[in-house]
Amino acid sequence: MAKKLNYNLAQFTWSAGTAAQLPKPGRPEIAFVGRSNVGKSSIMNKLFNRKNLVKVSAKPGKTININFFDVQGVDFVDLPGYGYARVSGAEQERWVKLMADYFEMERNLRLVVALVDIRHDMQPLDENMVDYLLKLEHPFCIAFTKADKLAKSKQAAQAKALARQFTLPSNVPYVITSAANGTGMDELKGIIEASLK
């Protein structure tokens, strides 16, 4: 049976800037990953029913570490955004190494929530991330974000088109979400909780 979580109990617990600083593996982890401007922090705050537990910024690339949030013994992991954040090449390289170290080490990773902006066709960086997750055989779902910016009549067709562009296997679920109006939050919680069985 899926574990029901009280997301309102979310607390920040840990921040790691290098692989050596990551907490010891063991607790179940739900990781969130996406482009620098995809609205990752906003989606996590919406899940937690908080305004700014997860730091939100108008500037892409605010998350420079891997940040952990505890929800009843489950770690929700906020990974650095990838893409065009205006930071130095050395800093971008640190992020890439940190992400690779995280994904490729032995952790109790139950689900990766890959966030993709529903308004755009498949972007190469998002395609690379999905291919990477498939290669590593990590369980993941796609959360299409910013659905409120698209007419309701177009959301389902656009999500379906994107799922085809990514050539997602049938066992990879996707959900249409909006941090602005809460679209898809219950469905996303259901996917998360199913992964904790």
Side-chain angles (χ1 to χ4, degrees):
M1 185 158 152
K3 174 174 177 164
K4 294 298 281 181
L5 295 174
N6 184 347
Y7 297 84
N8 295 332
L9 299 177
Q11 298 177 52
F12 170 76
T13 56
W14 196 276
S15 186
T18 66
Q21 294 170 355
L22 286 165
K24 286 191 171 66
R27 289 158 53 101
E29 294 179 10
I30 309 291
F32 288 73
V33 68
R35 289 174 68 91
S36 298
N37 61 337
V38 77
K40 179 164 48 70
S41 304
S42 299
I43 286 286
M44 292 183 76
N45 280 327
K46 194 70 178 175
L47 274 177
F48 299 153
N49 203 21
R50 302 287 255 289
K51 279 273 193 288
N52 51 13
L53 179 64
V54 185
K55 296 295 175 263
V56 180
S57 172
K59 290 182 184 167
K62 184 70 174 171
T63 306
I64 55 171
N65 292 339
I66 296 181
N67 295 320
F68 288 73
F69 300 84
D70 169 66
V71 180
Q72 294 184 295
V74 177
D75 282 328
F76 282 67
V77 186
D78 182 17
L79 294 163
Y82 53 85
Y84 61 72
R86 289 179 187 162
V87 294
S88 69
E91 184 69 348
Q92 283 275 24
E93 279 175 32
R94 183 181 73 82
W95 293 0
V96 168
K97 181 173 186 331
L98 185 57
M99 298 259 281
D101 287 344
Y102 173 79
F103 278 127
E104 293 171 25
M105 66 172 53
E106 287 291 322
R107 302 198 71 82
N108 188 4
L109 190 54
R110 299 299 184 87
L111 182 72
V112 179
V113 180
L115 293 102
V116 173
D117 191 325
I118 196 169
R119 299 172 299 171
H120 309 299
D121 284 340
M122 181 178 69
Q123 303 292 304
L125 286 171
D126 293 328
E127 183 182 22
N128 291 347
M129 178 53 71
V130 167
D131 288 347
Y132 183 53
L133 294 172
L134 286 168
K135 183 180 134 204
L136 294 176
E137 298 184 347
H138 285 319
F140 73 98
C141 72
I142 291 189
F144 292 117
T145 64
K146 306 193 180 186
D148 57 288
K149 312 268 192 202
L150 210 58
K152 202 156 190 190
S153 58
K154 294 180 177 170
Q155 291 172 8
Q158 176 66 357
K160 210 172 270 186
L162 277 163
R164 272 200 307 272
Q165 288 172 26
F166 282 110
T167 56
L168 289 180
S170 58
N171 65 333
V172 174
Y174 64 83
V175 55
I176 296 166
T177 69
S178 166
N181 61 23
T183 296
M185 288 300 112
D186 287 342
E187 195 180 339
L188 181 56
K189 287 175 182 177
I191 294 168
I192 289 168
E193 287 160 10
S195 76
L196 297 170
K197 284 180 184 175

